[in-house]
Amino acid sequence: MSSEPVPAARPVGIGFIGLGVMGRPMAGHLLAAGHELHVHARRPAATDGLVGAGAVAHPTPAALAARCGVVLLAVPDLPDVEAVLAGESGLLAGLDHPLTLVVCSTVSPDGVRALGARLAEETSGLAHVVDAPVSGGEAGAVAGTLAIMVGGEDEDVALVTPVLRACGRPVHLGPLGAGEVAKACNQMIVAATVLALGEASVVAERAGLDLGALLDLLGTGLAGSQVLEQKKRAFVEHDHRPTGKARFMVKDLGFATEEARRSGTATPQLDVLRTAFTELTDAGMGDQDVAVVQAWIESGVSR
Amino acid sequence: MSSEPVPAARPVGIGFIGLGVMGRPMAGHLLAAGHELHVHARRPAATDGLVGAGAVAHPTPAALAARCGVVLLAVPDLPDVEAVLAGESGLLAGLDHPLTLVVCSTVSPDGVRALGARLAEETSGLAHVVDAPVSGGEAGAVAGTLAIMVGGEDEDVALVTPVLRACGRPVHLGPLGAGEVAKACNQMIVAATVLALGEASVVAERAGLDLGALLDLLGTGLAGSQVLEQKKRAFVEHDHRPTGKARFMVKDLGFATEEARRSGTATPQLDVLRTAFTELTDAGMGDQDVAVVQAWIESGVSR
């Protein structure tokens, strides 16, 4: 007889914590797909709609974990993940069965790698971590068409992929952290494109060009992009009401920079992008759309 | 009686000088569209094919100008334009009729503005200049589907637009120089996108991601672009054989920088791009494709 406790079987329930703008519609899709959904929120009212549709609400993360084999976390950042995990009522309290945590937030790639390593050790291998940040915004979350960038070990990813399919299109890109690296890469490219459009639009208007005609023309050639299509009106009309707030780029580009440094990669353009979005946020423009780089270039704050 | 000479009528002929990779197919389209085409080349053999198809070859630019009301110039840069214009056998020698020059090359916006002002004065208003740089590459020139970015006065542009339609899609964007500014803006955006993809691809591969899967995924979202579509294979396979040589960006981004400075616009990202393409050209990578920014980031030359 061994004194080692035998792990209990993995429960069939799927947990969801972080019922915000993105999390709530995602949780709704899990329920609609037929999963046994368990939810927890600090404000119990946040779970009302889901409970009405068949979800089970729990007073603590620990109570939720007792019923779940997979828990999705859509909280803002890693400290919020830690807060859910920690303490006597935390997700890991008294864990006696396998549990796979799916971090759906945009967080530090190295932070999520460290979390996975630490939890494996602290739970004697019971808790595994998969990172699965999303892109597609609130509209994609509501429609269930999010692009889901997944990092983790093959067996963990195989377990959570059918669950994530309820919310969109999961793609396994590499080891733990790979999803966050992919999201960082996405933001590097989006930010570079939007800043290039910002610089070009100011130079063009100051030279007397018809900016609408220019952007229509550029959109048909090698300079064409989704950013150009989606932000064209914002640039032509100088209307920077947010669809994606510029200040969120500061965090995302910070993660990208951290990852570039970790791998010893010099990224001169990323450095400029991070500086640009930091400066424009400091200048009070961070609550406007990312296309506000146009106004920032016009203001000459960078000079 | 006035001593002022009365200008002769504008000849119906269309001239073409600069029968290179881009110019020769463009001239062929003018001929095919039914224009009376006049050509000149320093190497007479360069005109053989066009003459066989009905063009009239001339030994000097001056002889060509005597028969033409519009002359397209597809020579490499403004000094080459000046060489065509200057001297006893130059395009302006003995000019006695209205002549509209169409600069189809990618040149300095301010340089082409200065050229227009100088020629108006030197020819007492007989010679006008329109700038009409193109994008679409050799394939677009051969297919007659070039995007043609046109700058100039309304009456000049109205005169040359039907001619340019034989070669693609001309769009009038603003006053003289506007076409060159548009081309500079195009290159700013293309360069920024390709460098962002270069940085992101190196960071992603060093983090263990499947680069092909990542770029496929990113291409479906806000990071999607024509550059990504057209250069994806180059990035995934690290194959930087040229479709557009990286060193040409140095010149184009130089024009963009000159124009930004003229209008007092700080362009921090453009500064990085110009440095990047200059450094990689200095490092011997300039004859490879613009996607060679990937190898340049990998080499850490920027550190």
Side-chain angles (χ1 to χ4, degrees), chain A residues 1-302:
Chain A
M1 286 210 303
S2 159
S3 61
E4 229 9 48
V6 177
R10 182 188 293 267
V12 297
I14 307 294
F16 207 109
I17 296 176
L19 299 168
V21 171
M22 299 295 288
R24 198 186 304 230
M26 291 172 72
H29 290 302
L30 294 174
L31 204 52
H35 293 290
E36 179 191 309
L37 185 69
H38 297 263
V39 293
H40 161 76
R42 272 173 302 185
R43 291 188 310 105
T47 64
D48 286 353
L50 291 161
V51 169
V56 182
H58 296 271
T60 64
L64 176 145
R67 301 280 299 278
C68 294
V70 172
V71 176
L72 281 70
L73 300 170
V75 295
D77 203 348
L78 280 179
D80 310 281
V81 171
E82 297 286 359
V84 168
L85 297 174
E88 287 183 9
S89 63
L91 209 54
L92 301 179
L95 185 70
D96 67 349
H97 61 74
L99 176 67
T100 301
L101 297 177
V102 185
V103 176
C104 298
S105 324
T106 298
V107 303
S108 156
D110 230 34
V112 82
R113 291 182 195 118
L115 178 72
R118 206 192 79 216
L119 294 199
E121 192 177 320
E122 285 181 11
T123 66
S124 306
L126 285 177
H128 289 210
V129 176
V130 168
D131 60 313
V134 302
S135 88
E138 186 181 355
V142 169
T145 58
L146 293 167
I148 309 176
M149 294 158 267
V150 184
E153 295 308 310
D154 286 346
E155 56 268 44
D156 298 324
V157 174
L159 181 75
V160 305
T161 292
V163 178
L164 291 172
R165 277 212 191 97
C167 304
R169 197 165 39 82
V171 179
H172 185 197
L173 293 162
L176 182 61
E180 301 297 346
V181 172
K183 181 69 184 277
C185 289
N186 186 74
Q187 300 299 76
M188 289 167 73
I189 296 164
V190 169
T193 311
V194 81
L195 183 53
L197 284 165
E199 291 186 356
S201 71
V202 176
V203 169
E205 285 203 317
R206 289 182 176 174
L209 275 75
D210 176 333
L211 185 57
L214 174 66
L215 295 182
D216 282 342
L217 178 67
L218 296 183
T220 64
L222 192 53
S225 66
Q226 276 300 312
V227 172
L228 173 52
E229 283 314 302
Q230 293 190 28
K231 305 293 181 192
K232 181 156 55 182
R233 200 195 53 77
F235 281 111
V236 172
E237 299 179 7
H238 294 246
D239 174 0
H240 305 132
R241 282 172 295 184
T243 57
K245 286 190 183 183
R247 63 186 166 80
F248 296 151
M249 272 290 178
V250 177
K251 174 184 148 191
D252 297 354
L253 296 173
F255 296 147
T257 303
E258 176 193 302
E259 179 63 17
R261 288 187 181 153
R262 189 196 63 79
S263 67
T265 311
T267 49
Q269 182 163 252
L270 171 57
D271 296 346
V272 163
L273 292 167
R274 195 167 42 82
T275 300
F277 280 92
T278 302
E279 284 188 11
L280 71 85
T281 299
D282 291 347
M285 299 176 176
D287 284 328
Q288 297 187 71
D289 192 76
V290 289
V292 78
V293 291
Q294 180 184 34
W296 179 69
I297 291 289
E298 284 180 324
S299 74
V301 170
S302 63

Side-chain angles (χ1 to χ4, degrees), chain B residues 6 22 31 38 40 48 54 62 74 99 101 156 163 167 209 255 289:
Chain B
V6 177
M22 299 295 287
L31 204 52
H38 297 263
H40 161 76
D48 286 354
L99 176 66
L101 297 177
D156 298 324
V163 178
C167 305
L209 276 75
F255 296 146
D289 192 76

